Amino acid sequence: MKLVKHLANLGYGSRKQVALMFREGRITDAQGEVMYADDPVDHDNLRVDGEPLDPPQGLLIMLHKPVGYTCSTKDPGRIVYDLLPPRYRLRSPLLSSVGRLDRDTSGLLLFTDDGALLHRIVSPKSKLSKVYEATLANDLRGDEAQAFASGTLMLESEQTPLLPADLEIVDSRHVRLTLHEGRYHQVRRMFAAVGNHVEALHRSRIGGLGLENLPSGEWRLLDEAARTELFNA
Ligand code: URA
């Protein structure tokens, strides 16, 4: 691949804009030697305005999503991409969220530009659990854990029952729910199915990965060790 295309794929601009950056001498190697659009790609040795390049393709990112942000690329309101560096939205291949969280749900959201990895994370075969902490509007009735674990609970307008889910009761209005699948508004609809209402929802874990001490609204690039952790639940 030519350098100009590599930089355009990383979101530094259109090919035309990146070609201009070359002409302006803004693209150099680590020693400050000016590079040319046709030069071969030596990612780690390149600088734009003296700064190392953004990471190459193969990103896995963790975001601590706050309430009020939509998992969309073009919602008119606040979107999760507003919380990542602006260039990351312009990358090719696209950096997409792995599944979604509702606007009113906070917590752990992953992004990747690696289609195979995305597929592996969401594939039922990987059996990655997702853990949610929910605050309920009404006291628990007492039969919820059994209903969620049954493997027979049907959500409205669905054809197949939910897989067994594990409900841990913190107190009468606070629960930790572990799911092994991801259906639309699943947690909220599960509690609606047992006559309750979710007031607040937070995803704390996906597989073996937690948010650790990542503050709300912040993101972190995940390394190989974190990927192994993700699949080692
Ligand atoms: N279940 C929900 O209801 N909402 C989410 O955002 C995630 C799971």
Side-chain angles (χ1 to χ4, degrees), residues 65 100-106 130 132 179 182-190 198 201 203:
K65 178 192 173 298
R100 287 167 173 244
L101 288 176
D102 301 338
R103 189 165 62 89
D104 294 333
T105 302
S106 60
K130 280 163 267 173
Y132 293 90
L179 303 184
R183 303 199 197 183
Y184 182 65
H185 291 333
Q186 184 168 344
V187 177
R188 294 175 201 276
R189 290 165 74 212
M190 285 172 76
V198 171
L201 188 59
R203 181 157 68 193

Side-chain angles (χ1 to χ4, degrees), residues 41-181:
V41 174
D42 180 5
H43 185 94
D44 295 341
N45 189 36
L46 285 164
R47 302 290 180 269
V48 173
D49 298 328
E51 296 292 324
L53 296 190
D54 293 342
Q57 185 191 348
L59 291 185
L60 181 62
I61 283 173
M62 162 197 287
L63 172 73
H64 185 162
K65 178 192 173 298
V67 163
Y69 286 78
T70 308
C71 291
S72 150
T73 46
K74 32 179 169 309
D75 195 86
R78 290 180 293 178
I79 59 174
V80 286
Y81 288 93
D82 295 342
L83 299 164
L84 301 176
R87 258 200 310 269
Y88 282 24
R89 205 184 309 181
L90 306 173
R91 289 172 68 110
S92 172
L94 217 68
L95 185 63
S96 42
S97 71
V98 181
R100 287 167 173 244
L101 288 176
D102 301 338
R103 189 165 62 89
D104 294 333
T105 302
S106 60
L108 175 53
L109 183 66
L110 296 174
F111 291 83
T112 186
D113 58 359
D114 178 339
L117 177 62
L118 190 147
H119 184 74
R120 190 173 164 217
I121 298 171
V122 299
S123 165
K125 280 196 206 133
S126 298
K127 294 198 169 73
L128 281 196
S129 57
K130 280 163 267 173
V131 180
Y132 293 90
E133 321 284 333
T135 303
L136 306 170
N138 307 306
D139 286 352
L140 290 163
R141 300 191 301 216
D143 61 346
E144 294 87 349
Q146 201 183 3
F148 292 171
S150 68
T152 58
L153 187 69
M154 293 287 289
L155 292 180
E156 220 177 280
S157 72
E158 296 221 352
Q159 312 296 322
T160 50
L162 295 176
L163 292 177
D166 183 47
L167 185 71
E168 198 184 315
I169 296 171
V170 179
D171 63 37
S172 62
R173 294 209 184 180
H174 293 94
V175 293
R176 182 167 301 122
L177 180 62
T178 304
L179 303 184
H180 305 281
E181 60 188 331

